[in-house]
């Protein structure tokens, strides 16, 4: 028998098919489905909490856990969106447009099933994009020098700020705060201490896992405690009705699935633009292309399928930009970058050349997670309805305990727990006053990369090296457009509305 020579692809697949890694994937699926099913517990929060427990694992197992939670949450979050009209995560906002009306019509089971099929198709489409585009994009980025890497980080930061729900100024302030936090510790060039206040634990910088858990875990729970109202709780719909769609219906839904997959794949490749935006855009595009426009918003399976397909199709592009460029595709990927850096894996242009088996591992993890989660989603789980009836305060206690235990387990440090609580309070302030936490986390993680590359560029050729590089200039111009164009569009809309109001008043007798 001729032995088969090992290759990066077979090595990457074999690492995922190991029994311990498959066990981790199974645990991640259960956690992700539960996370998605509980309104208010976002995928970002779950991945942030899990990151504290995965840092002692092997990198492949850690990635399997975090990615699987992310995938499964994309399926589980459709359940509360359809049954109680509350998005489990932001990615399922578009699900509520038609999912809840369908449930009120006695078609909850059909809505859950078609949503699962659409989500799975979008996920598989995104995985195909990852498999095809990641390595070429990384090879292109290998040409980047310090000026281009600095411009790339600026591009990623401003893209996240530019899509901060119209809060550009507050997004910039949050990003600047994150960049300031990144300066605490040692100078990346000289190694000198700065802004440590004489605290020995800050010599290595602010522990970003503690910051992430504080922002996305503690702050979210505290905010829910402050805003929780029992009277606002919607009772879940229990009448499921028909479950499996017929072949004729699935054939009709192929068109909105295609629209959702195309929309999600394009949106997913843009850093920081998440599944919530993709889902809303795809829902609108499917409405324009449908012969049943009157059903949209009132219980349309086409609208439900298009939005859910698009929101999951973004995952492939998000993972691609994160791994190939080192720029997080969304807040979940920002958390994952922090974990990978602790594992000794630096996402960016050189990732796949230093870890050639990684792309095969990523694709295999996502494929297994998608197929298994789809199978779990198709089960007629009446227990899910019971989960939605559980009092929220039980969940809050569990999350806070996991926040503290997970943060402490990273370095066995009470100081890290203390920092987590401080940033939990800061994160609560940001949530209450409309400052998005995403840009702050991105600034903390990517700040050292931006600073070190800028200073290397300045030491070598001065500012001219930045402004004479075509790639750097294109990235910086796109970054500037991401900040300037949204306010200009809002200004034009306001002026147009004001002029229409004047015209209407002028025509009145």
């Amino acid at each position: 028998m001729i032995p088969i020579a090992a290759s990066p692809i077979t090595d990457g697949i074999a690492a995922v098919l190991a029994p311990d890694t498959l066990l981790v994937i199974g645990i991640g699926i259960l956690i992700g489905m539960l996370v998605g099913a509980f309104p208010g517990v976002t995928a970002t929060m779950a991945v942030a909490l899990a990151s504290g427990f995965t840092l002692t694992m092997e990198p492949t197992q850690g990635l399997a856990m975090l990615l699987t939670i992310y995938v499964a949450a994309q399926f589980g979050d459709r359940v509360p969106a359809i049954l109680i009209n509350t998005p489990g995560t932001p990615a399922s906002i578009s699900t509520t447009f038609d999912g809840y009306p369908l449930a009120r019509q006695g078609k909850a089971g059909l809505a859950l099933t078609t949503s699962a099929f659409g989500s799975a198709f979008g996920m598989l489409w995104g995985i195909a994009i990852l498999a095809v585009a990641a390595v070429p994009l990384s090879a292109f980025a290998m040409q980047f020098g310090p000026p281009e890497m600095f411009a790339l980080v600026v591009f990623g930061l401003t893209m996240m700020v530019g899509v901060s729900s119209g809060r550009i100024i507050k997004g910039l302030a949050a990003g600047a705060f994150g960049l300031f936090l990144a300066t605490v510790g040692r100078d990346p060039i000289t190694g000198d201490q700065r802004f440590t206040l004489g605290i020995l634990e800050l010599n290595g910088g602010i522990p970003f896992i503690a910051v992430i858990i504080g922002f996305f875990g503690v702050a979210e729970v505290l905010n829910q405690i402050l805003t929780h109202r029992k009277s606002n709780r919607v009772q879940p719909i229990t009448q499921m009705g028909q479950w499996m769609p017929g072949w004729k219906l699935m054939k009709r839904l192929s068109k909105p699935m295609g629209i959702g997959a195309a929309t999600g794949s394009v949106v997913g490749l843009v850093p920081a633009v998440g599944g919530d935006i993709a889902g809303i855009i795809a829902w609108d595009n499917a409405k324009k292309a449908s012969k049943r426009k009157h059903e949209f918003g009132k219980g349309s399976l086409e609208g439900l399928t298009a939005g859910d397909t698009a929101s999951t199709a973004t995952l492939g592009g998000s993972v691609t930009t994160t791994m190939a460029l080192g720029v997080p595709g969304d807040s979940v990927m920002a958390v994952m970058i922090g974990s990978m850096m602790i594992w000794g894996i630096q996402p960016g242009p050189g990732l796949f050349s230093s870890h050639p088996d990684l792309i095969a591992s990523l694709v295999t993890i996502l494929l297994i997670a998608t197929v298994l989660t789809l199978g779990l989603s198709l089960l007629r789980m009446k227990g899910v309805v019971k989960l939605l009836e559980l009092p929220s305060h039980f969940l809050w206690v569990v999350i806070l305990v996991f926040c503290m235990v997970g943060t402490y387990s990273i370095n066995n440090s009470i100081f890290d727990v203390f920092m987590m609580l401080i940033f939990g309070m800061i994160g609560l302030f940001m949530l209450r006053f409309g400052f998005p936490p995403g840009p702050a986390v991105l600034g903390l993680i990517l700040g050292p990369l931006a600073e070190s590359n800028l200073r290397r560029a300045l030491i070598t050729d001065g500012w001219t090296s930045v402004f004479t590089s075509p790639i750097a200039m294109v990235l910086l111009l796109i970054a500037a457009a991401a900040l300037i164009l949204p306010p200009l569009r809002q200004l034009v809309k306001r002026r147009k509305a004001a002029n229409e109001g004047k015209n209407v008043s002028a025509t009145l007798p």
Side-chain angles (χ1 to χ4, degrees):
M1 181 176 180
I2 301 175
I4 299 175
S7 69
I9 295 178
T10 56
D11 289 344
I13 295 174
V16 177
L17 296 180
D20 49 356
T21 307
L22 292 175
L23 176 61
V24 166
I25 290 176
I27 295 172
I29 289 174
L30 294 176
I31 294 174
M33 289 291 288
L34 290 174
V35 164
F38 282 108
V41 185
T42 65
T44 306
M45 181 195 298
V47 172
L49 292 177
S51 62
F53 295 94
T54 58
L55 296 180
T56 57
M57 296 181 178
E58 293 295 323
T60 301
Q61 296 175 7
L63 281 172
M65 174 68 80
L66 300 184
L67 284 173
T68 304
I69 290 174
Y70 190 19
V71 169
Q74 300 286 313
F75 285 83
D77 62 356
R78 273 55 176 173
V79 176
I82 292 171
L83 297 183
I84 61 174
N85 200 31
T86 303
T89 70
S92 61
I93 290 174
S94 64
T95 310
T96 62
F97 297 169
D98 290 297
Y100 188 64
L102 283 166
R104 295 189 64 181
Q105 296 170 16
K107 301 177 182 178
L110 190 60
L112 289 169
T113 304
T114 54
S115 172
F117 280 127
S119 299
F121 181 77
M123 199 76 70
L124 294 173
W125 184 272
I127 294 170
I129 291 175
L130 170 65
V132 172
V135 174
L137 184 60
S138 179
F140 170 72
M142 285 290 288
Q143 305 173 27
F144 288 12
E148 290 80 11
M149 288 303 300
F150 165 73
L152 181 63
V153 174
V154 173
F155 169 75
L157 285 168
T158 51
M159 288 302 296
M160 180 162 280
V161 170
V163 296
S164 298
S165 304
R167 301 167 291 177
I168 301 256
I169 301 300
K170 291 183 177 180
L172 283 172
F177 176 62
L179 289 173
F180 168 73
L181 294 178
T183 63
V184 176
R186 292 189 177 275
D187 187 293
I189 303 297
T190 65
D192 295 332
Q193 294 183 19
R194 56 186 188 183
F195 306 121
T196 60
L197 304 177
I199 301 175
L200 182 63
E201 288 84 355
L202 291 179
N203 283 345
I206 293 178
F208 51 78
I209 296 296
V211 174
I212 289 169
I213 293 177
F215 276 168
F216 295 110
V218 177
E220 289 283 356
V221 171
L222 294 178
N223 189 51
Q224 288 181 36
I225 291 173
L226 292 176
T227 58
H228 180 65
R229 297 287 185 276
K230 284 188 177 181
S231 58
N232 295 337
R233 191 178 182 91
V234 179
Q235 290 299 316
I237 292 175
T238 57
Q239 298 299 320
M240 296 291 107
Q242 177 186 349
W243 277 89
M244 294 303 297
W247 171 250
K248 186 176 179 180
L249 176 59
M250 288 303 299
K251 186 177 179 180
R252 176 163 66 89
L253 295 179
S254 62
K255 182 178 178 180
M257 276 189 189
I259 293 173
T263 304
S265 59
V266 173
V267 173
L269 289 170
V270 180
V273 183
D276 50 347
I277 296 174
I280 294 171
I281 294 174
W283 183 88
D284 187 59
N285 290 340
K287 181 179 180 180
K288 293 176 182 177
S290 175
K291 296 179 181 179
R292 297 177 173 85
K293 295 181 177 63
H294 62 281
E295 295 181 359
F296 279 69
K298 301 176 183 178
S300 170
L301 285 170
E302 293 181 18
L304 176 69
T305 304
D308 288 351
T309 302
S311 62
T312 55
T314 59
L315 185 139
S318 178
V319 175
T320 299
T321 56
T322 301
M323 299 299 175
L325 301 179
V327 178
D330 53 27
S331 56
V332 176
M333 291 295 110
V335 174
M336 288 196 61
I337 281 184
S339 298
M340 292 176 70
M341 291 171 65
I342 293 181
W343 291 324
I345 300 175
Q346 177 62 60
L351 177 62
F352 295 128
S353 60
S354 59
H355 297 82
D357 58 328
L358 185 59
I359 185 67
S361 294
L362 292 172
V363 171
T364 306
I365 290 169
L366 293 173
L367 280 174
I368 293 175
T370 300
V371 172
L372 293 181
T373 308
L374 173 62
L376 186 61
S377 299
L378 294 178
L379 295 177
R380 304 181 185 187
M381 297 178 295
K382 295 182 179 179
V384 173
V385 180
K386 296 296 182 182
L387 284 176
L388 296 175
E389 296 175 346
L390 288 176
S392 299
H393 55 267
F394 291 126
L395 186 62
W396 295 335
V397 173
V398 172
I399 291 175
L400 288 175
V401 170
F402 272 101
C403 285
M404 290 186 285
V405 173
T407 303
Y408 178 80
S409 65
I410 298 170
N411 296 313
N412 295 330
S413 171
I414 294 295
F415 178 80
D416 286 1
V417 177
F418 180 66
M419 294 296 290
M420 177 205 71
L421 295 174
I422 290 177
F423 283 100
M425 298 302 297
I426 295 174
L428 176 63
F429 170 85
M430 295 174 69
L431 286 175
R432 302 293 290 173
F433 290 92
F435 291 90
V441 171
L442 203 56
L444 172 62
I445 293 175
L446 297 183
L449 183 63
E451 181 187 3
S452 59
N453 280 287
L454 176 61
R455 289 175 64 178
R456 288 191 185 98
L458 295 180
I459 291 171
T460 305
D461 296 311
W463 282 104
T464 57
S465 62
V466 177
F467 297 108
T468 56
S469 167
I471 296 176
M473 285 304 301
V474 168
L475 290 172
L476 291 175
L477 288 174
I478 296 175
L483 297 179
I484 296 172
L485 291 181
L488 286 179
R489 282 199 297 265
Q490 292 297 324
L491 180 62
V492 170
K493 286 182 181 179
R494 285 197 297 267
R495 287 188 175 181
K496 185 178 180 180
N499 291 333
E500 288 177 353
K502 289 180 181 178
N503 293 334
V504 171
S505 60
T507 56
L508 294 175

